[in-house]
Amino acid sequence: MSETERERPLLQASEERAYEETEKVLIVGIDEEEDADYNDELGGNSPKFSWKKLWLFTGPGFLMSIAFLDPGNLESDLQAGAIAGYSLIWLLMWATAIGLLIQLLSARLGVATGRHLAELCREEYPTWARMVLWIMAEIALIGADIQEVIGSAIAIKILSNGFVPLWAGVVITALDCFIFLFLENYGIRKLEAVFAILIATMALAFAWMFGQTKPSGTELLVGALVPKLSSRTIKQAVGIVGCIIMPHNVFLHSALVQSREVDPKKRFRVKEALKYYSIESTGALAVSFIINVFVTTVFAKSFYGTDIAETIGLANAGQYLQDKYGGGFFPILYIWAIGVLAAGQSSTITGTYAGQFIMGGFLNLKMKKWVRALITRSCAIIPTMIVALVFDSSDSLLDELNEWLNVLQSVQIPFAVIPLLCLVSNEQIMGSFKIQPLVQTISWIVAALVIAINGYLMVDFFSGAARSLVLLVPVIMFAVAYVSFVLYLISRGLTYTPWQLVASKKETQRDDDE
């Protein structure tokens, strides 16, 4: 055994882990005799499909899917419907499929290596690069959290008939980290059950609105099957794609899949876990797609082609719906607010969860979960409180802020997606679960497409903002530094020699000498 291999277990024992062994969900398995029968490396058959096992693996994908349903996505959906009608539903469908591909790669990384993306980035990159990646991930998380917390605060303000101001709604939402800590003490399955209830609440609220407004089924079907894009709707199209890939969600999913007890040394067990996670994640994102379609079609039916279509945002959407459809026994304004509140609360809790994995993985911090959650939540709540106090009086300012935050997310996407693709393509890290050349090619094309679309959003945004020489110079400097670091990440993935390869070479050389 090489010196590197002997030291590795000691290093692993002292490192931060996504879940302790006692926290993991035990998958109903088979005894050692059946293990040998099922071991595909020995020529046996893979385990048969089991609904019970699928149920036990169900959970991480639905937590991941919440990022596809956060208030930022809902605002993108309603604006796409109001401005573009039903014409961008096809893009929403394909954007969700792209998101599924990225998330499946993230899950694959976590299951096959037993480590999540932030941990592997800590090992792969030199100190300066991983610190940049960590800072970028934290900035992306804070930007997403501001949108989510503000969305919850807007919903609370509506449900209280304006009695609770925006800043107070932020404080109430901030307390969710303590709810998260409380629930986590009772086990991951209890926490997943709460998220299932919140997703069901969103689905029921927006389905009720769909039934109330009665969008056209024919136009919905045409919009899903016939690609259509115009210069007038390009901004909404970019917004749809930009909201689907959330940088912190890529880190999150690679950690969530480790909540199940899967032995990475048993190849057939890893294959089994990947099979069930693929089914579960596909089902979860199918549900999220349907919910997003509900929102898009409601606003397409209600406001497409009207004079107010361009002015609708998350803050005033409920009131516009109320003005159009009136009150009734269940006023649509409050149904809308309930759906937004469920979206905001669920996404802020997953944001807290993601923040713990990101900080712990990049920095290898060994600290109590409540301390780390408090730090993570404080980093997001303080700027959100400032936003709430400054922007409370103006819906238009909130919409402008949301545009800035969408750009912020767009800037961060390469810093999660590129390391992910480099890692899952590396045989020394993934072993036999390295993605195949065809999947690599498709994944890199998809990543390049997403980065290019978000690059368009950034260029369009900054070209309008940087109209003076004073602003143009720093924008150019930022662009050069940004592109240089992205190219560095790509080149690093192509040339990186991990510790496993070094150890293997040493061992081979020693055998040759003997």
Side-chain angles (χ1 to χ4, degrees), residues 14 17 36 94 114 129 147 201 223 254 274 336 408 468:
S14 65
R17 281 289 176 265
W94 283 105
Q147 289 180 307
T201 301
S254 64
L274 291 175
W336 164 253
L408 180 65
S468 66

Side-chain angles (χ1 to χ4, degrees), residues 220-455:
L220 191 163
L221 188 61
V222 171
L225 299 178
V226 180
K228 187 185 299 184
L229 192 63
S230 67
S231 58
R232 183 173 175 269
T233 60
I234 188 68
K235 186 176 180 180
Q236 283 67 44
V238 170
I240 287 175
V241 177
C243 287
I244 287 297
I245 308 296
M246 304 292 282
H248 73 274
N249 207 39
V250 178
F251 288 97
L252 176 64
H253 199 201
S254 64
L256 290 174
V257 294
Q258 294 176 45
S259 62
R260 271 59 178 173
E261 191 171 354
V262 177
D263 188 353
K265 296 178 182 178
K266 295 179 179 178
R267 185 173 181 272
F268 72 102
R269 284 298 183 207
V270 175
K271 287 177 65 177
E272 179 186 54
L274 291 175
K275 175 179 70 176
Y276 286 118
Y277 277 137
S278 297
I279 296 171
E280 183 239 4
S281 296
T282 302
L285 289 192
V287 172
S288 74
F289 170 69
I290 292 170
I291 293 174
N292 282 318
V293 167
F294 284 157
V295 176
T296 301
T297 53
V298 164
F299 284 86
K301 170 64 185 302
S302 304
F303 303 109
Y304 177 59
T306 65
D307 295 336
I308 61 174
E310 299 279 352
T311 64
I312 297 178
L314 193 68
N316 58 19
Q319 191 57 55
Y320 278 130
L321 287 169
Q322 183 79 351
D323 293 342
K324 186 174 183 66
Y325 295 102
F329 187 70
F330 291 109
I332 196 169
L333 170 65
Y334 297 120
I335 299 297
W336 164 253
I338 290 171
V340 173
L341 181 62
Q345 286 295 319
S346 57
S347 55
T348 51
I349 298 175
T350 53
T352 303
Y353 219 11
Q356 290 195 76
F357 293 133
I358 289 170
M359 182 179 291
F362 275 109
L363 304 183
N364 193 26
L365 293 178
K366 300 285 288 185
M367 63 173 61
K368 292 182 179 179
K369 288 186 177 182
W370 72 267
V371 175
R372 194 165 34 177
L374 190 60
I375 294 172
T376 303
R377 175 52 67 228
S378 298
C379 290
I381 290 302
I382 292 173
T384 306
M385 184 65 74
I386 295 171
V387 167
L389 292 171
V390 173
F391 294 89
D392 192 12
S393 59
S394 174
D395 292 344
S396 61
L397 285 177
L398 278 174
D399 291 339
E400 185 176 343
L401 171 69
N402 191 59
E403 289 185 17
W404 276 92
L405 293 174
N406 285 338
V407 171
L408 180 65
Q409 294 294 318
S410 301
V411 169
Q412 311 302 330
I413 285 177
F415 307 134
V417 173
I418 292 176
L420 172 66
L421 294 183
C422 291
L423 289 168
V424 295
S425 302
N426 193 322
E427 186 174 2
Q428 304 304 323
I429 293 174
M430 297 291 292
S432 60
F433 292 99
K434 178 194 76 169
I435 57 175
Q436 298 305 308
L438 178 60
V439 180
Q440 286 185 38
T441 302
I442 294 173
S443 300
W444 278 105
I445 291 173
V446 166
L449 178 63
V450 171
I451 292 171
I453 290 173
N454 283 279

Side-chain angles (χ1 to χ4, degrees), residues 1-2 503-514:
M1 181 181 290
S2 71
S504 177
K505 286 181 176 179
K506 287 182 178 179
E507 190 69 23
T508 302
Q509 182 65 43
R510 181 175 298 177
D511 292 341
D512 292 341
D513 293 341
E514 293 176 354

Side-chain angles (χ1 to χ4, degrees), residues 73-83 295 299 312-314 317 336:
N73 274 283
L74 297 183
E75 181 158 38
S76 175
D77 293 337
L78 68 89
Q79 289 175 342
I83 296 172
V295 176
F299 284 86
I312 297 178
L314 193 68
W336 164 253

Side-chain angles (χ1 to χ4, degrees), residues 96 207 237 477:
T96 303
M477 292 175 62

